[in-house]
Amino acid sequence: MRNWTRWLVPVAGLLCFGLGAPATAHAGTDVDDVVSALGLTAEPADYVLLVDTSGSMQADGRYTSVRNQLATLVKGLSPKDRVSLLTFDTTVTPRFRGEVGKDGGAVLAELPAKAAGEHTDIGAAISAGLTELERSDTRRLAALILITDGKLDAPGSKYADVKSSAWKELKTRAGALGTDHQVAAYAVSLMASTDAGLLKKVLPQATEVDAADVGDRFAAVGSDLVRLQAAQALKSELAQPIVVNWHGDLGAALAEGTPAAVQLEFVSPYPHVPVQLSKLAVQTAPGLHVTLTGLPDKVTLDPNGHADVSATATVSGSGGPDATVGLTAVVTSSWSDALTGDLGLEFAPAIQGTATVPAAPIKVPPTLLPTVAGVAGGLAVAFVLFLFVRALFTPSLSGLLTIRRNGRDLADIVLEGRRMKLTAPEAVPDLAGLTGAVAGSRGGGKGQRAVRVNLRFGATSARGVVRDGSSVALGDLDVEYTSGRRRILDKIGLPRPGTGASVEAGAGATAAAVLSPVSP
């Protein structure tokens, strides 16, 4: 059983089978208390041991010492924990892979009696360790331990140069493991100066361990894995914002110019982490001024808790039609040191939640009401008169504008409404560049429909009134207006009245019964 199980004993009654609310750590909380409060239980893990067996390991009893320390490590593991033991020198040799079981002695039985290798290929050892962790059955929690007394010495190996692409590939592989696994890594140096630290090049979170600290570090590996488990559990929890719900009519406070009662509901999204908010301050849109009086110095939120705060709001200014007001605060927790120091997490909760402050309505003094009513009435009369005049001089459009070139029809434009903007139909590339407008006109004479056109095509233009059945020249184009009534008469075979000659576009002159100039 791992050493960290001692943390679970004081809270066993609260955590058994997950019954009841999670335990809450209080002031002065350390990482062990956090782990206990989370209710974490033992979870089988994978341990990958990479042991240097180059000849130098025989000196000063280092190899014997490593064997003894590894025996202590294995003895502290759970029977369900799995160990992959590999040795490395010039090459990497797998020695054991399997669960520890009731007797961990079998794990180290396959170690060679002596360390007699010629070289120290640390890169190849790390690569083999990653391969073990990349297996499909690797547990969620894992530890990789590299033990060496030497420098990188790998002639002919692709890992001989730490700047090579092979080392970059190792880092990429290690990064991919983080998607589904929590890996604790240890670079153990048995001499004052070794290249064990190269493990940090691949796994930046690796801990460097001196020879004097190997025993203590090995004894804490199990607890390190539980802390990784705790960090993973809290990471997503801490990403959530603290919510503030506003209740109160701030718009009325602005409109009436009198203080309004406001109720603030603070809601914690954290199932485990207690928080405290202090130095509450109002945050508003530019131009809007909101003051809250009666706010407490501190608001305390237990896990999944909420707190209601009453205050009085004074509102002035204007931030526009969609102005909002929110809160800022300093957020602290009794867990802060454990979260940021021991678990390596970021603790900077956001405050979310705003209230809308609609713009105050314009108030008219009673003495001005008759004047305002008179102006409004005058504007209404003027608008009605405008509509009447427009209907009188700009009748509704009907019929077609037919555009031809050399007697060949290029397009028919259906007229509707009172005014239309004309553009070239996309389906007629020959008319690309045609622009202008057409409106209904009474310039056709009694009983005869007409339209007023303002057309441009390339360098030519035409402006004026075109009567029913007549046309206007626009460069090499001919634009004819045919009313709905004329189209019906054409269909039943009645002759058209004489209309005279067409007017050249841009000429600014008028031909009888065809085009009348536009009034300025």
Side-chain angles (χ1 to χ4, degrees), residues 243-321:
V243 177
V244 181
N245 296 316
W246 293 70
H247 305 282
D249 195 345
L250 297 181
L254 176 61
E256 302 297 331
T258 57
V262 175
Q263 191 80 7
L264 302 174
E265 181 189 20
F266 295 83
V267 182
S268 171
Y270 309 133
H272 304 98
V273 183
V275 295
Q276 189 174 77
L277 285 68
S278 60
K279 298 183 179 180
L280 299 174
V282 178
Q283 188 174 48
T284 62
L288 182 66
H289 306 286
V290 179
T291 302
L292 293 179
T293 56
L295 291 176
D297 293 334
K298 295 179 181 179
V299 176
T300 300
L301 294 174
D302 290 328
N304 280 335
H306 71 94
D308 294 323
V309 171
S310 297
T312 301
T314 303
V315 188
S316 61
S318 176

Side-chain angles (χ1 to χ4, degrees), residues 58-89:
Q58 287 295 132
D60 299 325
R62 287 192 287 272
Y63 188 58
T64 300
S65 177
V66 166
R67 291 176 65 101
N68 294 335
Q69 296 289 2
L70 288 176
T72 301
L73 169 65
V74 172
K75 182 182 290 187
L77 300 182
S78 165
K80 291 294 184 181
D81 288 331
R82 182 166 51 210
V83 173
S84 295
L85 175 64
L86 302 93
T87 60
F88 68 96
D89 38 63

Side-chain angles (χ1 to χ4, degrees), residues 128-441:
L130 293 178
T131 298
E132 290 297 311
L133 295 175
E134 290 166 342
R135 291 174 180 262
S136 61
D137 61 345
T138 297
R139 276 76 178 267
R140 190 170 66 90
L141 298 180
L144 188 148
I145 302 173
L146 171 72
I147 306 171
T148 184
D149 72 338
K151 296 283 190 178
L152 174 62
D153 174 27
S157 169
K158 64 179 181 179
Y159 301 106
D161 182 0
V162 295
K163 296 181 179 180
S164 68
S165 60
W167 279 89
K168 295 178 181 178
E169 181 185 356
L170 290 180
K171 186 174 182 179
T172 301
R173 290 170 59 191
L177 286 172
T179 304
D180 300 309
H181 305 284
Q182 296 296 304
V183 180
Y186 305 88
V188 180
S189 294
L190 300 181
M191 296 289 288
S193 177
T194 75
D195 278 342
L198 288 176
L199 183 61
K200 292 179 67 70
K201 187 177 181 68
V202 178
L203 290 157
Q205 76 273 22
T207 300
E208 294 192 67
V209 182
D210 293 333
D213 300 325
V214 171
D216 292 339
R217 189 70 265 171
F218 280 1
V221 172
S223 60
D224 288 347
L225 291 182
V226 175
R227 292 181 183 186
L228 278 178
Q229 190 179 355
Q232 182 65 16
L234 290 171
K235 185 176 182 180
S236 58
E237 180 173 326
L238 295 178
Q240 305 302 314
I242 296 170
V243 177
V244 181
N245 296 316
W246 293 70
H247 305 282
D249 195 345
L250 297 181
L254 176 61
E256 302 297 331
T258 57
V262 175
Q263 191 80 7
L264 302 174
E265 181 189 20
F266 295 83
V267 182
S268 171
Y270 309 133
H272 304 98
V273 183
V275 295
Q276 189 174 77
L277 285 68
S278 60
K279 298 183 179 180
L280 299 174
V282 178
Q283 188 174 48
T284 62
L288 182 66
H289 306 286
V290 179
T291 302
L292 293 179
T293 56
L295 291 176
D297 293 334
K298 295 179 181 179
V299 176
T300 300
L301 294 174
D302 290 328
N304 280 335
H306 71 94
D308 294 323
V309 171
S310 297
T312 301
T314 303
V315 188
S316 61
S318 176
D322 298 316
T324 59
V325 57
L327 282 181
T328 62
V330 174
V331 184
T332 57
S333 172
S334 58
W335 288 30
S336 295
D337 291 343
L339 294 174
T340 58
D342 296 290
L343 300 181
L345 297 172
E346 180 181 1
F347 182 70
I351 308 294
Q352 178 179 291
T354 60
T356 301
V357 186
I362 299 175
K363 293 186 176 181
V364 179
T367 55
L368 292 180
L369 287 177
T371 303
V372 173
V375 172
L379 291 175
V381 171
F383 181 68
V384 171
L385 183 61
F386 165 76
L387 294 178
F388 174 76
V389 171
R390 189 180 73 165
L392 183 64
F393 291 99
T394 309
S396 60
L397 292 166
S398 69
L400 300 173
L401 279 185
T402 301
I403 304 175
R404 298 184 178 92
R405 175 180 283 146
N406 299 327
R408 181 171 64 90
D409 288 357
L410 297 179
D412 284 331
I413 300 175
V414 179
L415 303 179
E416 57 186 1
R418 295 183 184 275
R419 297 178 183 274
M420 283 182 60
K421 183 178 180 181
L422 296 183
T423 56
E426 295 183 1
V428 186
D430 288 355
L431 296 182
L434 173 66
T435 60
V438 59
S441 174

